[in-house]
Amino acid sequence: FVTILHSLCGLTSIIFDILLLFCMFRSTPTSFSTFSILLKMHAFSDLAMAIGGVASMIRVISIDWSVIYISYGPCTLIGPSVCYAFYMMLIAGANITMYTILVSFLFRLLMLRNAQPTVRQVYLMIVGMILPVPTTLIVCI
Protein backbone atom coordinates (compact mmCIF):
# COMPACT_ATOMS: atom_id res chain seq x y z
CA PHE A 1 0.00 0.00 0.00
CA VAL A 2 2.79 2.43 0.88
CA THR A 3 4.52 1.82 -2.46
CA ILE A 4 1.32 2.55 -4.38
CA LEU A 5 0.63 5.70 -2.36
CA HIS A 6 4.21 6.89 -2.82
CA SER A 7 4.00 6.24 -6.57
CA LEU A 8 0.69 8.07 -6.94
CA CYS A 9 1.97 11.15 -5.09
CA GLY A 10 5.15 11.21 -7.16
CA LEU A 11 3.34 10.67 -10.46
CA THR A 12 0.87 13.43 -9.59
CA SER A 13 3.80 15.76 -8.96
CA ILE A 14 5.43 14.77 -12.27
CA ILE A 15 2.21 15.39 -14.20
CA PHE A 16 1.63 18.81 -12.62
CA ASP A 17 5.25 19.84 -13.16
CA ILE A 18 5.02 18.92 -16.84
CA LEU A 19 1.73 20.84 -17.16
CA LEU A 20 3.25 23.84 -15.40
CA LEU A 21 6.26 23.83 -17.72
CA PHE A 22 4.01 23.49 -20.76
CA CYS A 23 1.90 26.46 -19.63
CA MET A 24 4.95 28.58 -18.86
CA PHE A 25 6.65 27.90 -22.19
CA ARG A 26 3.43 28.35 -24.14
CA SER A 27 1.94 31.51 -22.68
CA THR A 28 4.18 33.67 -20.52
CA PRO A 29 3.44 37.39 -20.77
CA THR A 30 6.38 39.48 -21.96
CA SER A 31 6.22 41.64 -18.84
CA PHE A 32 6.74 38.49 -16.76
CA SER A 33 9.34 36.81 -18.98
CA THR A 34 12.44 37.61 -16.91
CA PHE A 35 11.00 36.28 -13.64
CA SER A 36 9.51 33.30 -15.46
CA ILE A 37 13.07 32.04 -16.00
CA LEU A 38 13.30 31.46 -12.25
CA LEU A 39 9.90 29.77 -12.20
CA LYS A 40 10.91 27.45 -15.04
CA MET A 41 14.13 26.58 -13.22
CA HIS A 42 12.15 25.85 -10.08
CA ALA A 43 9.72 23.65 -12.02
CA PHE A 44 12.59 21.74 -13.68
CA SER A 45 14.26 21.08 -10.32
CA ASP A 46 10.94 19.99 -8.81
CA LEU A 47 10.46 17.65 -11.77
CA ALA A 48 13.92 16.16 -11.13
CA MET A 49 13.00 15.67 -7.47
CA ALA A 50 9.75 13.97 -8.37
CA ILE A 51 11.39 11.61 -10.88
CA GLY A 52 14.17 10.77 -8.42
CA GLY A 53 11.65 10.20 -5.64
CA VAL A 54 9.40 7.93 -7.69
CA ALA A 55 12.30 5.92 -9.08
CA SER A 56 14.16 5.40 -5.80
CA MET A 57 11.38 5.46 -3.16
CA ILE A 58 13.77 5.78 -0.27
CA ARG A 59 13.39 5.15 3.42
CA VAL A 60 16.07 6.30 5.83
CA ILE A 61 16.05 4.73 9.29
CA SER A 62 18.33 6.04 12.03
CA ILE A 63 19.64 3.57 14.59
CA ASP A 64 21.88 5.05 17.28
CA TRP A 65 24.70 6.79 15.35
CA SER A 66 24.06 4.94 12.08
CA VAL A 67 21.67 5.51 9.21
CA ILE A 68 20.16 2.72 7.13
CA TYR A 69 19.16 3.60 3.59
CA ILE A 70 16.48 1.40 2.01
CA SER A 71 15.33 1.86 -1.56
CA TYR A 72 12.33 -0.15 -2.74
CA GLY A 73 11.37 1.68 -5.93
CA PRO A 74 11.52 0.58 -9.56
CA CYS A 75 15.26 1.29 -9.64
CA THR A 76 15.85 -1.87 -7.58
CA LEU A 77 14.97 -3.89 -10.67
CA ILE A 78 18.08 -2.54 -12.41
CA GLY A 79 20.62 -2.28 -9.62
CA PRO A 80 21.84 -0.36 -6.58
CA SER A 81 23.97 2.05 -8.60
CA VAL A 82 20.87 3.17 -10.51
CA CYS A 83 19.06 3.68 -7.21
CA TYR A 84 21.96 5.78 -5.98
CA ALA A 85 21.90 7.84 -9.19
CA PHE A 86 18.18 8.54 -8.79
CA TYR A 87 18.74 9.37 -5.12
CA MET A 88 21.43 11.86 -6.12
CA MET A 89 18.96 13.30 -8.67
CA LEU A 90 16.47 13.75 -5.82
CA ILE A 91 19.05 15.46 -3.60
CA ALA A 92 20.32 17.67 -6.43
CA GLY A 93 16.76 18.74 -7.24
CA ALA A 94 16.18 19.67 -3.60
CA ASN A 95 19.41 21.69 -3.49
CA ILE A 96 18.66 23.48 -6.75
CA THR A 97 15.19 24.33 -5.46
CA MET A 98 16.68 25.98 -2.39
CA TYR A 99 19.19 27.95 -4.47
CA THR A 100 16.45 28.99 -6.90
CA ILE A 101 14.44 30.41 -4.00
CA LEU A 102 17.52 32.35 -2.94
CA VAL A 103 17.93 33.71 -6.49
CA SER A 104 14.26 34.73 -6.57
CA PHE A 105 14.77 36.71 -3.35
CA LEU A 106 17.78 38.39 -4.95
CA PHE A 107 15.66 39.13 -8.05
CA ARG A 108 12.97 40.72 -5.89
CA LEU A 109 15.56 42.78 -4.03
CA LEU A 110 16.78 44.15 -7.36
CA MET A 111 13.19 44.92 -8.33
CA LEU A 112 12.69 46.86 -5.08
CA ARG A 113 15.74 48.94 -5.92
CA ASN A 114 14.18 49.80 -9.31
CA ALA A 115 16.79 47.81 -11.21
CA GLN A 116 15.01 45.51 -13.63
CA PRO A 117 17.42 42.55 -14.12
CA THR A 118 18.09 41.52 -17.69
CA VAL A 119 17.74 37.95 -18.92
CA ARG A 120 21.53 37.60 -18.96
CA GLN A 121 21.79 38.78 -15.35
CA VAL A 122 19.14 36.26 -14.26
CA TYR A 123 21.01 33.41 -15.97
CA LEU A 124 24.26 34.54 -14.35
CA MET A 125 22.57 34.62 -10.93
CA ILE A 126 21.18 31.11 -11.46
CA VAL A 127 24.52 29.69 -12.60
CA GLY A 128 26.35 31.47 -9.78
CA MET A 129 24.00 30.20 -7.10
CA ILE A 130 23.65 26.65 -8.42
CA LEU A 131 27.38 26.10 -8.95
CA PRO A 132 27.85 24.30 -5.59
CA VAL A 133 25.39 21.53 -6.57
CA PRO A 134 27.47 19.91 -9.37
CA THR A 135 30.56 20.22 -7.19
CA THR A 136 28.81 18.30 -4.41
CA LEU A 137 27.60 15.63 -6.81
CA ILE A 138 31.07 15.14 -8.28
CA VAL A 139 32.55 14.69 -4.81
CA CYS A 140 29.83 12.18 -3.82
CA ILE A 141 30.25 10.06 -6.93
Side-chain angles (χ1 to χ4, degrees), residues 22-29:
F22 176 75
C23 290
M24 280 194 289
F25 279 110
R26 184 163 169 90
S27 57
T28 300

Side-chain angles (χ1 to χ4, degrees), residues 10-26:
L11 290 175
T12 304
S13 178
I14 290 171
I15 290 169
F16 280 118
D17 283 333
I18 291 171
L19 286 173
L20 177 64
L21 285 169
F22 176 75
C23 290
M24 280 194 289
F25 279 110
R26 184 163 169 90

Side-chain angles (χ1 to χ4, degrees), residues 8-65:
L8 288 177
C9 290
L11 290 175
T12 304
S13 178
I14 290 171
I15 290 169
F16 280 118
D17 283 333
I18 291 171
L19 286 173
L20 177 64
L21 285 169
F22 176 75
C23 290
M24 280 194 289
F25 279 110
R26 184 163 169 90
S27 57
T28 300
T30 55
S31 62
F32 200 63
S33 63
T34 309
F35 189 71
S36 73
I37 296 169
L38 294 171
L39 294 176
K40 291 171 189 171
M41 186 68 190
H42 190 79
F44 275 123
S45 63
D46 191 49
L47 183 63
M49 281 177 37
I51 291 171
V54 167
S56 61
M57 288 190 198
I58 59 166
R59 291 291 171 252
V60 178
I61 302 168
S62 64
I63 299 173
D64 293 329
W65 290 96

Side-chain angles (χ1 to χ4, degrees), residues 74-104:
C75 67
T76 57
L77 301 173
I78 301 171
S81 60
V82 175
C83 288
Y84 184 71
F86 277 113
Y87 176 68
M88 292 306 289
M89 186 174 167
L90 173 72
I91 297 299
N95 285 337
I96 290 172
T97 299
M98 297 309 262
Y99 288 122
T100 305
I101 292 171
L102 186 62
V103 170
S104 70

